[in-house]
Amino acid sequence: MQSIPWEDAEFANFVNEAVKKKTDVLKLADKLSKSPFAELRGPILDYITLVPKYRKKFNTDALLACDKLALEQSTAADIGKFKAHLFEKATSIDDLCCGMGGDTFFLNKEIPVRGVDLSEERIEMYRFNTRALGAPREAILADIRTLEKRSAFFTVDPARRAKDGDNQRNFSELTPTFSEVLELSKLYKGGMAKLPPGYPTDEFPANVEIIYLGAKNDCRECLVLFGELAENPGKTRAVSIDHTGNAVSWISENVHSTDKELPVGKLSAYLAEPIPVLVRSHLFAEVALRSDPDAHLISAGIAYAASDTPLDPNAFHNFRILGSAPISTGKVKKLLKEFDIGKLTLKKRGVEIVPEAEIKRLAPKGKREAILFYTRVAGEKTAILAESL
């Protein structure tokens, strides 16, 4: 079957009109069956569903070439802009395993960038997309492990290669493997590898810098920085990017120091939930103590901190504690009635429960709104009633 004609002006007009008018899929299918693109009706219908998604992801109105897997694997605008900043001093860059080009889109247009991939389809996407976004880049079909000529710096995404049509989640089967990435890094002045946030840190060399990257409610990537790109060799950073693109970061105080632990203590006036990048980076204890030297866990192994004052609001979701009780339907209902709670959000950690079913069972009937935590205090299952700050 022929490939989607990305360069065809009639195709572009068809797609833009379909997206703009939000044309019903049955009408689109009928219209396609009578068009020059009849043989591609299925792939084009699938593609049209992706257009609003990639326009939001990359913050662009341009028509881009992609498929579902390429879009899933690519870097979004907020993350891409931050990563581009790390390459400010780069003189030339190889975008290895370039895919549709997400890691190239936000790089400085003045820096020579070359896409490299084993998929001819991805190379075509990369070339088309970089032209569509006003910064045409060279792209070559090649194995990144055997390139004859290389740029000064590199970026590589080995984490999510396709397997049976889906993203690869098994760390031991990444392509290229992380051990191969380590060998590749020796051929460049510096570079960056994008890995899943849960990748085992014991495989990282001592001289790299690690960045856990996401927003306030997620952790999306683990970046391993090599050579001249590693501004803080041996240290770990957690970076949270808000909806405006502003980044807040925390860095470990000492080399190889991300395992500081909080002591365990009693409930205090406030409960703090660390944002995901702090949990993944193992920096939340260190950051909590910077906010309040008396901050402590409420139970071993559970990432809820207690304190007498709210902790860093960029790093933690803070809650004022109203009361607590052992987890039993009668005692929790009594707690809700005491504080006149009628609207409830239930959060759990360290306790197995279905929040929606539990809220239905509790049937709160008051006038106030609150958050109910089902967790453990000193190992004991406890309900903590709190309000957001």
Side-chain angles (χ1 to χ4, degrees):
M1 180 181 288
Q2 65 187 101
S3 61
I4 292 178
W6 310 111
E7 306 278 1
D8 190 292
E10 185 178 350
F11 167 76
N13 290 334
F14 180 89
V15 171
N16 284 325
E17 182 180 4
V19 173
K20 183 178 180 180
K21 294 182 178 180
K22 299 181 180 179
T23 309
D24 177 83
V25 66
L26 293 178
K27 292 181 179 180
L28 276 177
D30 181 62
K31 192 172 181 180
L32 278 168
S33 67
K34 301 171 184 177
S35 76
F37 316 114
E39 292 185 19
L40 292 166
R41 183 172 60 179
I44 290 175
L45 288 174
D46 290 340
Y47 169 74
I48 288 174
T49 66
L50 300 177
V51 176
K53 297 178 182 179
Y54 73 61
R55 286 182 170 172
K56 180 179 180 181
K57 186 169 188 175
F58 303 127
N59 192 25
T60 181
D61 291 327
L63 188 73
L64 301 180
C66 75
D67 56 29
K68 182 175 180 289
L69 189 61
L71 181 58
E72 288 178 352
Q73 293 175 347
S74 60
T75 298
D78 55 349
I79 299 291
K81 290 175 181 177
F82 174 84
K83 290 162 69 172
H85 173 73
L86 300 175
F87 282 95
E88 281 185 343
K89 297 180 181 179
T91 51
S92 61
I93 304 169
D94 281 339
D95 185 348
L96 306 176
C97 305
C98 63
M100 67 177 287
D103 283 321
T104 289
F105 292 164
F106 304 99
L107 292 171
N108 188 327
K109 295 180 180 180
E110 303 303 316
I111 300 175
V113 181
R114 178 179 63 166
V116 186
D117 206 292
L118 275 173
S119 166
E120 187 172 351
E121 184 180 24
R122 294 292 189 267
I123 289 296
E124 290 178 1
M125 289 180 181
Y126 183 90
R127 288 176 179 149
F128 178 88
N129 292 339
T130 55
R131 287 198 305 271
L133 293 173
R137 305 292 195 178
E138 178 189 1
I140 61 172
L141 184 68
D143 188 326
I144 65 171
R145 294 162 290 198
T146 56
L147 280 177
E148 293 183 4
K149 295 182 180 180
R150 298 184 183 272
S151 299
F153 292 80
F154 76 93
T155 178
V156 63
D157 173 12
R160 295 176 293 172
R161 300 301 96 201
K163 184 176 182 180
D164 299 327
D166 293 316
N167 279 344
Q168 176 58 260
R169 302 300 185 188
N170 188 335
F171 296 156
S172 66
E173 296 181 6
L174 302 182
T175 306
T177 65
F178 187 63
S179 60
E180 289 174 324
V181 171
L182 292 179
E183 291 303 310
L184 284 171
S185 70
K186 300 173 184 178
L187 306 176
Y188 293 86
K189 290 183 178 180
M192 171 194 299
K194 179 173 78 174
L195 298 174
Y199 198 90
T201 57
D202 57 3
E203 294 188 21
F204 298 152
N207 61 342
V208 300
E209 179 178 4
I210 309 302
I211 299 180
Y212 289 87
L213 193 57
K216 196 163 187 179
N217 294 308
D218 61 36
C219 182
R220 283 182 264 168
E221 295 182 8
C222 171
L223 306 181
V224 183
L225 306 186
F226 300 89
E228 294 181 15
L229 239 60
E231 296 181 4
N232 306 282
K235 293 192 175 185
T236 298
R237 261 195 280 175
V239 179
S240 174
I241 303 173
D242 67 20
H243 67 281
T244 67
N246 292 323
V248 181
S249 65
W250 303 267
I251 188 167
S252 56
E253 293 176 353
N254 303 303
V255 174
H256 310 306
S257 174
T258 61
D259 56 356
K260 186 174 291 185
E261 295 183 359
L262 290 175
V264 177
K266 299 179 181 179
L267 285 179
S268 300
Y270 297 92
L271 189 70
E273 180 181 22
I275 63 175
V277 291
L278 285 184
V279 177
R280 282 294 190 182
S281 63
H282 303 287
L283 285 174
F284 87 88
E286 192 171 311
V287 175
L289 293 172
R290 294 176 196 172
S291 295
D292 183 348
D294 295 322
H296 54 273
L297 297 178
I298 59 174
S299 196
I302 294 179
Y304 282 140
S307 60
D308 292 324
T309 58
L311 303 182
D312 180 350
N314 291 311
F316 294 86
H317 298 285
N318 289 286
F319 306 89
R320 181 183 290 106
I321 295 176
L322 301 176
S324 64
I327 294 180
S328 75
T329 301
K331 290 180 180 179
V332 176
K333 279 188 172 183
K334 183 178 179 181
L335 183 64
L336 298 178
K337 185 176 180 180
E338 178 184 351
F339 289 94
D340 194 28
I341 304 302
K343 187 175 181 181
L344 202 59
T345 299
L346 199 154
K347 300 169 74 73
K348 65 185 181 77
R349 188 167 288 177
V351 174
E352 287 301 320
I353 201 163
V354 179
E356 296 80 7
E358 182 65 9
I359 291 173
K360 186 176 181 179
R361 181 163 46 248
L362 293 172
K365 298 177 181 178
K367 298 179 181 179
R368 296 176 62 190
E369 182 176 351
I371 296 92
L372 183 64
F373 293 87
Y374 272 19
T375 186
R376 295 176 184 269
V377 176
E380 298 297 321
K381 294 181 179 180
T382 305
I384 302 170
L385 190 64
E387 57 185 3
S388 296
L389 297 187

